[in-house]
Amino acid sequence: EDKVVQSPLSLVVHEGDTVTLNCSYEVTNFRSLLWYKQEKKAPTFLFMLTSSGIEKKSGRLSSILDKKELFSILNITATQTGDSAIYLCAVEAGQGGSEKLVFGKGTKLTVNP
Amino acid sequence: GAGVSQSPRYKVAKRGQDVALRCDPISGHVSLFWYQQALGQGPEFLTYFQNEAQLDKSGLPSDRFFAERPEGSVSTLKIQRTQQEDSAVYLCASSLWAFYEQYFGPGTRLTVT
């Protein structure tokens, strides 16, 4: 059975701290790994990773994938209160032509002023 | 439109009632997905369309759940004879083509009383 595990499940930090969120997976027919940020509404897309070792960066956020060890990390530097959200990791398991995403439970990040 | 839209945003149904949830994907997006998100959990895949073809419905929890996308654009998720365990947020997502990133709508929060 396809599985995505995120850690920690929750994290509380102070503004300015750097955080690392973890995602490990076991899926058949891996195609890509995606990170989303979920506040009160829709998950918003952050990154899509398909190749090992290539860092993707957007402002203070960055992510990297290790396909050998089957994990990814999401780094957020100089955190701000607006970074408070649930961060979801998902893996695209393309078995039988389906593009479905398998999600982890998410990491709830709280950034205090 | 600018993003994926869903309606209604909130729905309260009495147990046993039928409900219909609507999703308008981003214009031109070929792939459309439905996910169910229970409180404190990551989204779980329900079904997937490519244009009007339903290519994967392996995540639909029972035959009370039915989805359609007759003209390859708007989609409707119908739940017959709702049960309390159907209470969740139902998320719709679309992507431009196969294996592109998925963009999510704001969801419909269904409460069955």
Side-chain angles (χ1 to χ4, degrees):
Chain A
E1 185 181 337
D2 295 337
K3 191 166 60 171
V4 176
V5 178
Q6 293 186 245
S7 64
L9 290 181
S10 67
L11 190 55
V12 180
V13 301
H14 291 290
E15 262 191 321
D17 288 351
T18 293
V19 298
T20 298
L21 309 183
N22 303 292
C23 175
S24 63
Y25 62 91
E26 291 177 31
V27 299
T28 52
N29 297 302
F30 173 90
R31 287 190 176 272
S32 60
L33 185 144
L34 297 91
W35 285 96
Y36 288 87
K37 177 183 181 182
Q38 187 172 31
E39 295 168 273
K40 293 199 185 297
K41 305 180 194 175
T44 52
F45 172 77
L46 295 175
F47 297 112
M48 182 186 220
L49 304 156
T50 55
S51 301
S52 267
I54 299 175
E55 185 183 54
K56 290 220 172 175
K57 201 168 166 60
S58 176
R60 295 176 295 103
L61 277 67
S62 63
S63 183
I64 197 160
L65 174 67
D66 185 329
K67 287 168 74 173
K68 183 180 175 187
E69 300 298 330
L70 308 183
F71 79 90
S72 174
I73 58 171
L74 176 68
N75 278 321
I76 308 175
T77 58
T79 51
Q80 301 171 356
T81 55
D83 295 329
S84 295
I86 294 173
Y87 289 83
L88 293 167
C89 174
V91 174
E92 188 162 38
Q95 189 171 6
S98 179
E99 304 169 39
K100 69 178 184 182
L101 294 178
V102 179
F103 281 87
K105 290 188 177 181
T107 293
K108 183 177 180 181
L109 174 65
T110 304
V111 182
N112 289 325
Chain B
V4 179
S5 60
Q6 294 186 244
S7 61
R9 292 293 312 282
Y10 304 91
K11 176 72 180 175
V12 179
K14 288 194 188 328
R15 193 171 56 153
Q17 280 185 332
D18 297 349
V19 298
L21 313 180
R22 178 188 167 107
C23 172
D24 279 89
I26 294 172
S27 178
H29 277 199
V30 167
S31 300
L32 184 145
F33 307 81
W34 284 98
Y35 293 86
Q36 180 190 60
Q37 186 172 25
L39 195 62
Q41 303 293 317
E44 290 200 5
F45 171 79
L46 294 176
T47 187
Y48 153 59
F49 292 85
Q50 195 172 90
N51 293 306
E52 68 279 2
Q54 190 175 21
L55 297 188
D56 187 347
K57 53 182 181 180
S58 62
L60 296 176
S62 76
D63 58 9
R64 296 186 296 104
F65 287 71
F66 171 77
E68 60 183 4
R69 191 186 186 199
E71 295 177 2
S73 178
V74 170
S75 176
T76 304
L77 177 68
K78 297 178 180 176
I79 309 173
Q80 297 177 321
R81 305 182 302 282
T82 50
Q83 304 293 314
Q84 280 194 311
E85 62 262 28
D86 300 334
S87 295
V89 175
Y90 290 85
L91 293 166
C92 175
S94 70
S95 68
L96 180 63
W97 191 244
F99 311 115
Y100 278 57
E101 59 270 21
Q102 295 180 25
Y103 293 92
F104 283 80
T108 295
R109 181 178 295 279
L110 173 66
T111 304
V112 181
T113 60

Short mmCIF file of all heavy atoms in Angstrom, two decimals, chain B residues 24-46:
data_model
loop_
_atom_site.label_atom_id
_atom_site.label_comp_id
_atom_site.label_asym_id
_atom_site.label_seq_id
_atom_site.Cartn_x
_atom_site.Cartn_y
_atom_site.Cartn_z
N ASP B 24 -15.63 23.71 -10.67
CA ASP B 24 -15.26 24.36 -11.93
C ASP B 24 -13.74 24.43 -12.00
O ASP B 24 -13.13 25.19 -11.25
CB ASP B 24 -15.81 25.78 -11.99
CG ASP B 24 -17.25 25.84 -12.39
OD1 ASP B 24 -18.10 25.78 -11.48
OD2 ASP B 24 -17.52 25.92 -13.58
N PRO B 25 -13.12 23.64 -12.87
CA PRO B 25 -11.65 23.63 -12.92
C PRO B 25 -11.12 24.89 -13.60
O PRO B 25 -11.88 25.68 -14.16
CB PRO B 25 -11.35 22.39 -13.75
CG PRO B 25 -12.54 22.27 -14.67
CD PRO B 25 -13.72 22.75 -13.86
N ILE B 26 -9.82 25.04 -13.56
CA ILE B 26 -9.18 26.12 -14.30
C ILE B 26 -9.42 25.88 -15.80
O ILE B 26 -9.30 24.74 -16.27
CB ILE B 26 -7.67 26.18 -13.99
CG1 ILE B 26 -7.46 26.56 -12.51
CG2 ILE B 26 -6.94 27.14 -14.91
CD1 ILE B 26 -6.04 26.46 -12.03
N SER B 27 -9.77 26.94 -16.50
CA SER B 27 -10.10 26.82 -17.92
C SER B 27 -8.95 26.17 -18.69
O SER B 27 -7.78 26.56 -18.56
CB SER B 27 -10.39 28.22 -18.48
OG SER B 27 -10.66 28.13 -19.86
N GLY B 28 -9.30 25.15 -19.47
CA GLY B 28 -8.28 24.49 -20.30
C GLY B 28 -7.58 23.33 -19.63
O GLY B 28 -6.81 22.61 -20.28
N HIS B 29 -7.85 23.12 -18.35
CA HIS B 29 -7.21 22.00 -17.66
C HIS B 29 -7.91 20.70 -18.02
O HIS B 29 -9.12 20.57 -17.91
CB HIS B 29 -7.24 22.22 -16.15
CG HIS B 29 -6.12 23.08 -15.67
ND1 HIS B 29 -5.71 23.10 -14.35
CD2 HIS B 29 -5.31 23.94 -16.33
CE1 HIS B 29 -4.69 23.94 -14.22
NE2 HIS B 29 -4.44 24.46 -15.41
N VAL B 30 -7.09 19.73 -18.42
CA VAL B 30 -7.61 18.46 -18.92
C VAL B 30 -7.95 17.51 -17.77
O VAL B 30 -8.94 16.81 -17.79
CB VAL B 30 -6.56 17.82 -19.85
CG1 VAL B 30 -6.90 16.37 -20.16
CG2 VAL B 30 -6.44 18.63 -21.14
N SER B 31 -7.11 17.52 -16.75
CA SER B 31 -7.28 16.54 -15.65
C SER B 31 -8.02 17.16 -14.48
O SER B 31 -7.79 18.33 -14.12
CB SER B 31 -5.91 16.04 -15.18
OG SER B 31 -5.22 15.42 -16.24
N LEU B 32 -8.90 16.38 -13.86
CA LEU B 32 -9.67 16.85 -12.71
C LEU B 32 -9.73 15.74 -11.67
O LEU B 32 -9.90 14.57 -12.01
CB LEU B 32 -11.08 17.25 -13.16
CG LEU B 32 -12.00 17.86 -12.09
CD1 LEU B 32 -12.89 18.95 -12.70
CD2 LEU B 32 -12.82 16.82 -11.38
N PHE B 33 -9.60 16.12 -10.42
CA PHE B 33 -9.51 15.16 -9.32
C PHE B 33 -10.46 15.57 -8.20
O PHE B 33 -10.67 16.76 -7.95
CB PHE B 33 -8.08 15.17 -8.73
CG PHE B 33 -7.00 14.97 -9.74
CD1 PHE B 33 -6.55 16.03 -10.51
CD2 PHE B 33 -6.42 13.73 -9.91
CE1 PHE B 33 -5.55 15.86 -11.46
CE2 PHE B 33 -5.42 13.55 -10.84
CZ PHE B 33 -4.99 14.61 -11.62
N TRP B 34 -10.97 14.57 -7.50
CA TRP B 34 -11.71 14.80 -6.25
C TRP B 34 -10.96 14.10 -5.11
O TRP B 34 -10.50 12.96 -5.27
CB TRP B 34 -13.12 14.22 -6.34
CG TRP B 34 -14.08 15.03 -7.16
CD1 TRP B 34 -14.42 14.81 -8.46
CD2 TRP B 34 -14.84 16.17 -6.73
NE1 TRP B 34 -15.35 15.75 -8.86
CE2 TRP B 34 -15.62 16.59 -7.82
CE3 TRP B 34 -14.93 16.86 -5.51
CZ2 TRP B 34 -16.49 17.69 -7.75
CZ3 TRP B 34 -15.79 17.94 -5.43
CH2 TRP B 34 -16.56 18.36 -6.54
N TYR B 35 -10.86 14.83 -3.99
CA TYR B 35 -10.24 14.29 -2.77
C TYR B 35 -11.18 14.55 -1.60
O TYR B 35 -11.96 15.50 -1.59
CB TYR B 35 -8.90 14.99 -2.48
CG TYR B 35 -7.81 14.71 -3.48
CD1 TYR B 35 -7.69 15.49 -4.63
CD2 TYR B 35 -6.89 13.68 -3.29
CE1 TYR B 35 -6.70 15.24 -5.57
CE2 TYR B 35 -5.89 13.43 -4.21
CZ TYR B 35 -5.80 14.22 -5.35
OH TYR B 35 -4.80 13.96 -6.27
N GLN B 36 -11.06 13.70 -0.58
CA GLN B 36 -11.83 13.86 0.65
C GLN B 36 -10.84 14.11 1.78
O GLN B 36 -9.85 13.36 1.91
CB GLN B 36 -12.62 12.58 0.94
CG GLN B 36 -13.47 12.62 2.20
CD GLN B 36 -14.02 11.24 2.53
OE1 GLN B 36 -13.26 10.30 2.75
NE2 GLN B 36 -15.33 11.11 2.56
N GLN B 37 -11.07 15.16 2.57
CA GLN B 37 -10.15 15.48 3.66
C GLN B 37 -10.91 15.49 4.98
O GLN B 37 -11.74 16.37 5.23
CB GLN B 37 -9.44 16.81 3.44
CG GLN B 37 -8.36 17.09 4.48
CD GLN B 37 -7.52 18.32 4.17
OE1 GLN B 37 -7.97 19.23 3.49
NE2 GLN B 37 -6.28 18.35 4.68
N ALA B 38 -10.62 14.51 5.83
CA ALA B 38 -11.20 14.47 7.17
C ALA B 38 -10.38 15.37 8.08
O ALA B 38 -9.21 15.67 7.79
CB ALA B 38 -11.20 13.04 7.69
N LEU B 39 -10.97 15.77 9.18
CA LEU B 39 -10.31 16.68 10.11
C LEU B 39 -8.98 16.11 10.60
O LEU B 39 -8.92 14.96 11.02
CB LEU B 39 -11.24 16.94 11.31
CG LEU B 39 -10.90 18.12 12.20
CD1 LEU B 39 -10.96 19.42 11.40
CD2 LEU B 39 -11.85 18.18 13.39
N GLY B 40 -7.91 16.90 10.46
CA GLY B 40 -6.61 16.47 10.97
C GLY B 40 -5.88 15.47 10.08
O GLY B 40 -4.85 14.92 10.49
N GLN B 41 -6.42 15.23 8.90
CA GLN B 41 -5.80 14.27 7.98
C GLN B 41 -5.42 14.96 6.68
O GLN B 41 -5.93 16.04 6.36
CB GLN B 41 -6.77 13.14 7.67
CG GLN B 41 -7.28 12.39 8.88
CD GLN B 41 -6.20 11.62 9.57
OE1 GLN B 41 -5.38 10.97 8.93
NE2 GLN B 41 -6.17 11.69 10.90
N GLY B 42 -4.54 14.30 5.91
CA GLY B 42 -4.28 14.78 4.57
C GLY B 42 -5.41 14.39 3.63
O GLY B 42 -6.20 13.49 3.94
N PRO B 43 -5.53 15.05 2.49
CA PRO B 43 -6.56 14.68 1.52
C PRO B 43 -6.37 13.23 1.04
O PRO B 43 -5.24 12.77 0.90
CB PRO B 43 -6.33 15.66 0.37
CG PRO B 43 -5.61 16.82 0.98
CD PRO B 43 -4.76 16.24 2.05
N GLU B 44 -7.50 12.57 0.80
CA GLU B 44 -7.46 11.21 0.27
C GLU B 44 -8.14 11.18 -1.08
O GLU B 44 -9.25 11.70 -1.24
CB GLU B 44 -8.13 10.22 1.23
CG GLU B 44 -7.32 10.01 2.49
CD GLU B 44 -7.70 8.72 3.22
OE1 GLU B 44 -8.52 7.95 2.70
OE2 GLU B 44 -7.18 8.55 4.33
N PHE B 45 -7.50 10.53 -2.03
CA PHE B 45 -7.98 10.48 -3.41
C PHE B 45 -9.32 9.76 -3.50
O PHE B 45 -9.54 8.71 -2.87
CB PHE B 45 -6.94 9.72 -4.25
CG PHE B 45 -7.39 9.40 -5.65
CD1 PHE B 45 -7.36 10.35 -6.64
CD2 PHE B 45 -7.84 8.12 -5.96
CE1 PHE B 45 -7.77 10.06 -7.93
CE2 PHE B 45 -8.23 7.81 -7.24
CZ PHE B 45 -8.20 8.77 -8.22
N LEU B 46 -10.22 10.33 -4.31
CA LEU B 46 -11.49 9.69 -4.60
C LEU B 46 -11.56 9.22 -6.04
O LEU B 46 -11.76 8.04 -6.32
CB LEU B 46 -12.66 10.65 -4.32
CG LEU B 46 -12.88 11.06 -2.86
CD1 LEU B 46 -14.00 12.10 -2.77
CD2 LEU B 46 -13.22 9.86 -1.99
#
